[in-house]
Amino acid sequence: MDDDRKQIADLIRQACDARGWGPSKLARELGVAAGRGPEGMTRQYARKLLSGERNPDYWLPYVLQVLDLEAAQVSDMTEPSPPALDTVASVLALGRSDVDRRSFLTASSGAALALLGVPDAEAITRRVRNASPSAVRVGEGEVSAILQMVRTLGDGAAEYGGGHVKKLAVQYLTENAGPWLEGRYTESTGRKLYGATSQLAHVIGWMAQDEADDKQHESLARHYYAHAYRLAAEAGEQELAATALRGMTVQAIALGPRHRAEAFALAEKSMEHARHLDDSRAVAYYQSTLAEAAALDGNPRLATSALSASQTQIERTATAPPGDSWASHFTIGRWAYASGTILAKMGDLTGAREQLHQALEIHGLDRRRTRASVLGDLGGIHLQQGDLDGALAVWTEFLDCAEGVRSIRVRDAAEDMRVRLSRYENVPAARELSQRAGGLLAGT
């Protein structure tokens, strides 16, 4: 055994001894941290890490995370490695590869947590110090321009789906935000610039996820979310970091039960960043996501507890104007939609139906894509409860709302509706709706 491997093993063993952990506990914590679930690492492998028979290699970021070790403690003991990832250079490379599909970035689509790495705390300071004198000067105006564009693009995507504006958003990242990120600015401006770009990367990730559900779009969304997280963490923006992690959580939830461990780990990590936030809307936002991840993971007690805590937070905001951040725009109507989705996953169809009706009729969700998504879910719940007439009425409104929306979520709802209505081919209204859904699907 070489000396470096022995020293790393000694550090891991000492940290485990201080916590009272054996190989089984270490294996479980590392597997969860890496998004592979509690059985993602074998006990035998953990024993080899403790004995020094194995170097951490892939597992190193998660060893640092779960044992609260500092990177500097092991940096001199590991094999020479490439320089730390420059997040700005990486996100711009991702955007350029997205624009030019012929050179599409073929990065692994592996576990979401593995993409996060350890954010570089000195990234902004180093860019400020090393900026070229000939680089463009960047100030508050450029930061405001990015934030305004995020709002404009986000509004367009919320109305007509991610597929409508994603190309424009990526071009803005590479052609407008890119030169500013590589420009000259103060450290204070740099933090705001990184934060604004984190929001831009996040909205592009959401658009990629909403545009299609193939492996390419799945990987793209995951990588944009990971860059949004790193930019936020390097800017010291806890809420934006939590929001990026929430995006990754929602994506993992959408991928189904096979990704439940990853979804739950990401939701917990998001809540770690949100723990000390003062904005009740933002806290409600992340708690509702934790509730949904817990419901998928088969933990109804935690799901109920997190949903109740989320409700307490959102009810404090009933008369308060929304703030400027992404999460602070989480309204009580959007909470009702999230609550209905969670209750449906837990089998409470009556409670889910009530919440979705409230989201539509009382709180007035008016974005076409969002409203179509709620109506699609609500129609399915009516049918599951044996209310065919109610389902047909809701699904008629769904199809009216879904016209012109380019969203995989809306497309999936239309496909789900067709499958469910196939049992009612002898009902003329059901047959007509199924045909309309077929036309919608053919045009998207």
Side-chain angles (χ1 to χ4, degrees):
M1 183 195 314
D2 60 62
D3 291 339
D4 288 347
R5 193 185 302 174
K6 182 179 184 301
Q7 290 179 59
I8 296 173
D10 288 343
L11 272 177
I12 295 173
R13 192 163 53 250
Q14 290 166 16
C16 286
D17 288 345
R19 291 165 171 74
W21 291 6
S24 297
K25 176 66 171 175
L26 177 62
R28 184 186 187 284
E29 294 299 321
L30 289 175
V32 170
R36 297 184 172 191
E39 297 179 1
M41 176 187 282
T42 65
R43 183 175 184 274
Q44 291 76 12
Y45 196 101
R47 288 184 63 185
K48 290 180 179 180
L49 289 180
L50 290 165
S51 67
E53 294 177 59
R54 288 272 191 178
N55 261 331
D57 298 325
Y58 163 82
W59 295 97
L60 183 58
Y62 309 109
V63 169
L64 298 176
Q65 176 186 330
V66 304
L67 297 178
D68 292 326
L69 297 175
E70 296 292 335
Q73 291 177 266
V74 298
S75 61
D76 293 331
M77 305 176 194
T78 55
E79 292 295 322
S81 57
L85 172 70
D86 183 286
T87 308
V88 165
S90 181
V91 74
L92 294 180
L94 175 63
R96 285 189 289 267
S97 70
D98 190 3
V99 171
D100 183 6
R101 291 304 177 91
R102 289 173 300 175
S103 60
F104 183 77
L105 186 69
T106 55
S108 167
S109 63
L113 280 166
L115 298 177
L116 300 177
V118 180
D120 182 0
E122 300 300 317
I124 296 174
T125 302
R126 189 166 53 252
R127 277 199 168 265
V128 169
R129 186 173 59 241
N130 297 334
S132 168
S134 61
V136 62
R137 185 71 183 171
V138 180
E140 296 285 341
E142 287 74 18
V143 174
S144 296
I146 295 175
L147 292 173
Q148 180 60 51
M149 184 57 76
V150 168
R151 285 190 288 272
T152 301
L153 293 167
D155 286 345
E159 193 73 22
Y160 296 108
H164 273 283
V165 288
K166 176 176 167 288
K167 183 178 179 180
L168 176 61
V170 176
Q171 288 177 335
Y172 188 82
L173 169 67
T174 58
E175 297 175 13
N176 295 79
W180 295 336
L181 288 162
E182 295 176 328
R184 289 182 297 129
Y185 39 81
T186 65
E187 187 152 339
S188 174
T189 298
R191 294 191 183 282
K192 294 176 184 177
L193 186 62
Y194 271 48
T197 308
S198 169
Q199 294 189 49
L200 180 59
H202 184 280
V203 79
I204 296 173
W206 182 89
M207 291 171 185
Q209 181 182 338
D210 194 54
E211 186 176 28
D213 60 356
D214 54 65
K215 289 292 184 182
Q216 187 180 75
H217 283 82
E218 178 188 322
S219 179
L220 258 182
R222 187 177 289 122
H223 280 81
Y224 277 116
Y225 284 140
H227 283 87
Y229 168 75
R230 288 182 62 90
L231 287 163
E234 288 169 10
E237 292 281 358
Q238 295 298 316
E239 183 176 326
L240 294 178
T243 302
L245 290 166
R246 180 194 176 275
M248 298 179 90
T249 304
V250 171
Q251 183 187 35
I253 289 171
L255 292 173
R258 288 184 59 192
H259 295 263
R260 62 186 182 275
E262 181 177 67
F264 186 70
L266 286 162
E268 284 193 313
K269 191 172 179 66
S270 177
M271 281 303 302
E272 288 174 12
H273 285 274
R275 201 171 306 281
H276 302 295
L277 297 178
D278 295 326
D279 189 333
S280 293
R281 276 193 179 90
V283 176
Y285 192 49
Y286 308 122
Q287 284 175 325
S288 68
T289 308
L290 176 62
E292 188 170 5
L296 180 67
D297 199 37
N299 190 339
R301 179 178 297 180
L302 177 58
T304 302
S305 172
L307 186 59
S308 176
S310 177
Q311 182 175 8
T312 299
Q313 293 289 338
I314 201 66
E315 286 177 348
R316 293 174 181 171
T317 72
T319 59
D324 295 326
S325 72
W326 185 289
S328 67
H329 285 79
F330 185 61
T331 63
I332 195 163
R334 292 184 179 278
W335 179 87
Y337 178 24
S339 175
T341 301
I342 294 162
L343 291 172
K345 279 186 171 66
M346 296 170 63
D348 182 1
L349 297 182
T350 300
R353 178 171 165 173
E354 179 182 349
Q355 289 295 339
L356 294 182
H357 269 295
Q358 285 191 24
L360 292 167
E361 308 304 332
I362 298 176
H363 303 302
L365 292 180
D366 57 358
R367 298 290 193 188
R368 288 186 64 183
R369 178 197 170 277
T370 304
R371 192 170 182 86
S373 297
V374 179
L375 288 164
D377 292 345
L378 184 58
I381 289 172
H382 273 274
L383 192 64
Q384 285 178 277
Q385 292 187 306
D387 180 11
L388 176 60
D389 290 339
L392 295 176
V394 171
W395 275 334
T396 298
E397 188 178 352
F398 160 73
L399 289 172
D400 292 340
C401 199
E403 286 291 337
V405 176
R406 288 178 56 189
S407 163
I408 192 63
R409 187 180 184 102
V410 172
R411 182 182 176 86
D412 285 348
E415 187 62 55
D416 181 80
M417 184 188 79
R418 287 189 74 194
V419 171
R420 293 183 187 279
L421 288 179
S422 64
R423 297 169 53 200
Y424 302 94
E425 291 183 349
N426 59 328
V427 179
R431 200 164 52 244
E432 179 185 346
L433 279 184
S434 183
Q435 290 169 356
R436 281 190 63 191
L440 177 71
L441 292 166
T444 56

